[in-house]
Amino acid sequence: MPSYKLTYHNLMGIAEPIRFIFHYVNVDFEDNRLDHTDWPSQKDNYPWGVLPLLEEDGRQLSQSFTIGRYLGKKFKLNGADDYESAKCDEYGDALKDLLNECRNLFFETDETKKTELREEILSKQIPKYCGKFDRDLVNSESKYLVGTTPAWIDFFVAHYLEFLETKIDEKFLKNYPKLQFFKQNIYNLPQIKSWIETRPVTPW
């Protein structure tokens, strides 16, 4: 079994769905958490100057969705065939598009503008992307986005739904019942539930 080390800040952030994957497949990894205040002096030591960073027997891999996709393939969490694997990628790209649409809100300091941005996201972007996720789940033959068992993208989507609940509107999922059920189902998987109950208490 390879030796894995995942380096990120002491946050949930964009590394949390990667941690979900490791815990779901019961594979040990070193959960290396950096002090955020030390990051400016250390970032030049990391590929692309960003985290998270996955090390597998010393080999380095960066970018969170790339790491998720890689582990999905390695642990057979990327669908049953090439089409299902591509659907995982499609949902991943759509999720990144949604997060990019929300990005300005998270950096806006003017409260009036923040309110306007939040309302626009809830009226336009959330329906566009979450509506599609919800409809696809309605038409799915399982409780998951791709195939009949959890795929790597399921952990990413579930995590970022919670992020949007925390940062934008804690009740927005009530308009998307299948998506709400999907998130609850992922979080109730025994391995994920156990991790959530015991993980370090940190900011997002």
Side-chain angles (χ1 to χ4, degrees):
M1 178 67 67
S3 173
Y4 294 102
K5 178 180 179 180
L6 180 66
T7 299
Y8 191 60
H9 309 291
N10 188 27
L11 305 166
M12 286 185 275
I14 59 178
E16 193 66 6
I18 301 170
R19 298 180 183 123
F20 282 1
I21 292 172
F22 278 119
H23 284 282
Y24 177 71
V25 298
N26 292 313
V27 169
D28 289 335
F29 71 104
E30 181 182 348
D31 189 6
N32 184 38
R33 295 169 181 250
L34 299 182
D35 187 327
H36 193 65
T37 59
D38 295 335
W39 175 241
S41 65
Q42 298 186 33
K43 65 183 302 182
D44 289 343
N45 297 326
Y46 290 86
W48 313 110
V50 297
L51 295 177
L53 176 72
L54 176 69
E55 295 177 79
E56 180 187 52
D57 290 340
R59 298 187 303 174
Q60 296 183 335
L61 193 62
S62 192
Q63 303 293 340
S64 62
F65 278 77
T66 297
I67 295 170
R69 187 180 300 111
Y70 174 74
L71 294 177
K73 183 176 182 180
K74 177 171 283 287
F75 298 138
K76 302 186 186 307
L77 302 176
N78 64 332
D81 53 32
D82 289 344
Y83 174 78
E84 289 190 356
S85 178
K87 288 299 289 185
C88 289
D89 292 342
E90 177 188 338
Y91 287 127
D93 288 339
L95 178 59
K96 286 188 286 185
D97 287 345
L98 170 58
L99 295 172
N100 284 334
E101 295 283 3
C102 300
R103 183 178 176 83
N104 288 341
L105 173 64
F106 307 138
F107 293 97
E108 181 58 63
T109 57
D110 183 276
E111 289 301 321
T112 300
K113 291 182 179 179
K114 284 183 70 171
T115 298
E116 293 173 352
L117 286 170
R118 183 178 289 106
E119 290 176 353
E120 181 176 358
I121 290 168
L122 288 170
S123 64
K124 295 182 180 179
Q125 307 308 330
I126 292 292
K128 175 182 177 181
Y129 292 96
C130 292
K132 173 72 165 104
F133 282 129
D134 195 73
R135 290 191 298 274
D136 285 1
L137 285 165
V138 169
N139 296 322
S140 173
E141 296 180 356
S142 76
K143 298 177 289 187
Y144 309 107
L145 285 165
V146 178
T148 57
T149 57
W152 68 269
I153 191 58
D154 291 314
F155 299 110
F156 276 73
V157 172
H159 168 70
Y160 281 112
L161 289 175
E162 183 183 9
F163 173 77
L164 294 174
E165 286 178 312
T166 302
K167 298 297 185 180
I168 295 180
D169 184 347
E170 64 180 7
K171 298 181 179 179
F172 86 92
L173 276 178
K174 73 180 191 313
N175 296 318
Y176 308 98
K178 290 293 290 187
L179 197 54
Q180 186 174 44
F181 174 78
F182 160 83
K183 181 206 149 194
Q184 292 170 343
N185 180 60
I186 295 297
Y187 276 43
N188 282 329
L189 291 168
Q191 303 94 316
I192 305 303
K193 184 176 182 180
S194 177
W195 165 243
I196 290 173
E197 290 173 349
T198 58
R199 66 188 175 187
V201 178
T202 68
W204 273 91

